[in-house]
Amino acid sequence: MKKAILAVVLVITLQAAAQETKAPHGYTYGTKEVAKSPFTLEELKLLEQSLLFSEEDVKYLQMSHDILEGQTDAILDVWYGFVGSTPQLVYFFGNTKTGKPDGEYLAKVRGRFKMWILQTAEAKYNQDWLNYQYEIGLRHYTTKKNKTDNVTSVPVINYRYIPALTIPVTTTLKPFLAKTGASAADVDKMYNAWVKSVLMQSILWGQPYMKKGEF
Amino acid sequence: MKKAILAVVLVITLQAAAQETKAPHGYTYGTKEVAKSPFTLEELKLLEQSLLFSEEDVKYLQMSHDILEGQTDAILDVWYGFVGSTPQLVYFFGNTKTGKPDGEYLAKVRGRFKMWILQTAEAKYNQDWLNYQYEIGLRHYTTKKNKTDNVTSVPVINYRYIPALTIPVTTTLKPFLAKTGASAADVDKMYNAWVKSVLMQSILWGQPYMKKGEF
């Protein structure tokens, strides 16, 4: 009897662990499904220099990881609140049949968005990370938009809104960076590192929109 | 004799005034030489909303005007210092015949860059302003790069570096905003308004790089 109970407990624990670590729908980071970025790590270094992104920014992004980890849902509530109340943005989540925002589409993206917060804070700029930036770009562009989540929506996110979102994303993040007792100076440095990182990523997501020699 | 001296003084004064107000080479803001922007003022409003650009930002940009007006040369020294010491940026000012940065090209752009500082601080978002953003975009792109200054240089500025420069431009501007005695709170608000404005402009300059429905 004791053995049977132990077995049940074990199964439930393993299921819970699997649930916990299960990748969100369409989250293919580091897998063979992600194509190699046409943009190289050497080119990334040069881009970093041009936006004053330094080792100190990596350090402060990583400091933000544990601060943000337990707050991702609250952060996403704020971001989704902003997108939801800005018609020109929620438009890109619209179901072209019903003309209304597609709740399932929004929910699926949200699962990956959470991973994006943590990955931005990890700040590990290796080939996998670079490839995934390209993948994210493709999913904003006509190449892959709607496909990952199998939805009927508008065919492309107009690029101009992507770097623009650097501002609301980082402005609303700042209070969360301050919530667990970091000093005002550290909060400022984490915030500045986030601004640079989000801007840099939004630039990388522009690759598919432009010819290689013009991007 | 007195009359003759007066006449000479008058001529010199008028010459100096003309020199002072003479538009820099290639500066065509508000003239018929500037084409109409394919992007509308209504679309600009929606973009402003998406990056939380508000009337308050306009107010703080305008507050920065008189603070910056006497410092434009010092600011441009810092910006040119950064570009000059960053090979992947000064590259775009390279003379393709000599392989070296083109001093005359850099100097001509600098004259217009000064006007850009003051215009950013004026924050008057009318049709002339919008048209000129498009013109600036064309001058970064293959359409018009090198033509305004009649130089032999690389054919296009890779777009990725344009929004990236928001960071060095605004980071190095901040001390100048603080130099004439504004409160720390006002300096922060002017700085934040500048970040939004520079990012927004760099986004608008991306128009020629992308198809209309994708920009």
Side-chain angles (χ1 to χ4, degrees):
Chain A
M1 184 67 174
K2 263 189 184 165
K3 250 187 185 166
I5 292 172
L6 206 70
V8 169
V9 168
L10 191 69
V11 164
I12 293 171
T13 309
L14 285 171
Q15 275 177 344
Q19 198 65 31
E20 186 67 21
T21 58
K22 200 185 149 198
H25 174 83
Y27 185 72
T28 54
Y29 187 101
T31 71
K32 282 180 298 184
E33 292 173 56
V34 180
K36 188 167 181 184
S37 168
F39 193 67
T40 68
L41 286 170
E42 290 70 36
E43 288 169 320
L44 178 66
K45 255 305 159 238
L46 300 178
L47 182 62
E48 288 179 4
Q49 289 166 5
S50 78
L51 45 65
L52 304 179
F53 187 89
S54 68
E55 275 308 307
E56 178 163 286
D57 293 304
V58 169
K59 180 184 133 188
Y60 282 99
L61 284 168
Q62 291 175 348
M63 180 187 283
S64 79
H65 183 277
D66 291 0
I67 295 172
L68 299 176
E69 195 171 21
Q71 303 188 80
T72 51
D73 273 323
I75 294 164
L76 285 163
D77 284 346
V78 174
W79 290 351
Y80 268 56
F82 177 70
V83 170
S85 64
T86 309
Q88 62 271 43
L89 296 178
V90 79
Y91 165 79
F92 300 113
F93 290 98
N95 181 312
T96 42
K97 280 181 193 158
T98 66
K100 287 179 189 161
D102 186 324
E104 200 181 319
Y105 185 20
L106 280 156
K108 283 180 172 171
V109 169
R110 186 174 164 132
R112 300 194 293 274
F113 218 151
K114 179 179 172 164
M115 299 302 288
W116 177 79
I117 296 174
L118 299 175
Q119 220 129 49
T120 299
E122 276 174 15
K124 279 189 193 156
Y125 304 129
N126 53 27
Q127 190 65 48
D128 275 343
W129 182 86
L130 196 61
N131 295 347
Y132 207 62
Q133 301 309 308
Y134 184 54
E135 175 71 15
I136 294 175
L138 294 172
R139 290 180 184 189
H140 286 70
Y141 191 61
T142 49
T143 329
K144 285 201 167 185
K145 184 167 181 300
N146 308 329
K147 294 196 175 64
T148 307
D149 301 313
N150 196 26
V151 290
T152 308
S153 187
V154 293
V156 66
I157 297 179
N158 289 84
Y159 183 69
R160 64 184 183 268
Y161 287 117
I162 302 177
L165 284 172
T166 302
I167 304 295
V169 160
T170 53
T171 302
T172 56
L173 187 77
K174 202 172 180 185
F176 292 101
L177 292 169
K179 232 166 213 174
T180 61
S183 72
D186 280 349
V187 169
D188 268 344
K189 284 174 181 167
M190 286 188 280
Y191 165 75
N192 285 329
W194 263 86
V195 171
K196 292 181 199 176
S197 174
V198 176
L199 179 57
M200 188 165 75
Q201 292 182 70
S202 73
I203 290 169
L204 294 176
W205 301 342
Q207 278 186 81
Y209 293 76
M210 287 167 255
K211 294 182 199 148
K212 187 165 166 51
E214 299 180 355
F215 165 67
Chain B
M1 184 67 173
K2 263 190 189 170
K3 251 189 188 168
I5 291 172
L6 205 68
V8 169
V9 168
L10 191 68
V11 165
I12 292 171
T13 309
L14 285 173
Q15 276 179 342
Q19 197 67 30
E20 187 67 20
T21 58
K22 198 184 151 201
H25 174 82
Y27 185 72
T28 55
Y29 186 101
T31 71
K32 283 181 297 185
E33 292 174 57
V34 180
K36 188 167 182 186
S37 169
F39 191 68
T40 69
L41 286 169
E42 291 70 35
E43 289 169 319
L44 178 67
K45 258 300 163 241
L46 299 177
L47 183 62
E48 286 178 5
Q49 290 166 4
S50 78
L51 44 66
L52 303 180
F53 188 89
S54 68
E55 276 307 307
E56 177 161 287
D57 294 306
V58 169
K59 179 184 136 189
Y60 282 99
L61 283 168
Q62 290 175 349
M63 179 187 284
S64 80
H65 183 276
D66 291 0
I67 295 171
L68 299 176
E69 196 171 20
Q71 303 188 82
T72 52
D73 272 323
I75 294 164
L76 285 163
D77 284 346
V78 173
W79 290 350
Y80 268 57
F82 177 70
V83 170
S85 63
T86 309
Q88 62 270 42
L89 297 178
V90 79
Y91 166 79
F92 300 113
F93 291 99
N95 182 311
T96 42
K97 279 181 193 157
T98 65
K100 287 180 190 162
D102 185 325
E104 201 181 319
Y105 184 19
L106 280 156
K108 283 181 172 170
V109 170
R110 187 175 163 130
R112 300 192 295 273
F113 218 151
K114 178 178 173 166
M115 300 301 287
W116 176 81
I117 296 174
L118 300 175
Q119 220 129 49
T120 299
E122 277 175 15
K124 279 189 192 155
Y125 304 130
N126 54 25
Q127 190 65 47
D128 275 344
W129 182 85
L130 195 61
N131 295 347
Y132 207 62
Q133 300 310 309
Y134 184 54
E135 175 71 15
I136 294 175
L138 293 172
R139 291 179 184 189
H140 285 70
Y141 192 61
T142 49
T143 328
K144 284 199 167 186
K145 185 170 184 296
N146 307 331
K147 294 196 175 61
T148 307
D149 300 312
N150 195 26
V151 289
T152 307
S153 187
V154 293
V156 66
I157 297 178
N158 289 84
Y159 182 69
R160 63 183 184 271
Y161 287 117
I162 302 176
L165 284 172
T166 302
I167 304 294
V169 160
T170 54
T171 303
T172 55
L173 188 76
K174 203 173 179 185
F176 292 102
L177 293 169
K179 231 165 214 173
T180 62
S183 72
D186 281 350
V187 170
D188 267 343
K189 283 172 181 167
M190 288 188 281
Y191 165 75
N192 285 329
W194 263 86
V195 171
K196 292 181 198 176
S197 173
V198 177
L199 179 56
M200 187 164 76
Q201 293 182 70
S202 73
I203 290 170
L204 293 176
W205 301 342
Q207 278 186 81
Y209 292 77
M210 286 167 257
K211 293 180 199 150
K212 188 166 167 50
E214 300 180 355
F215 165 67

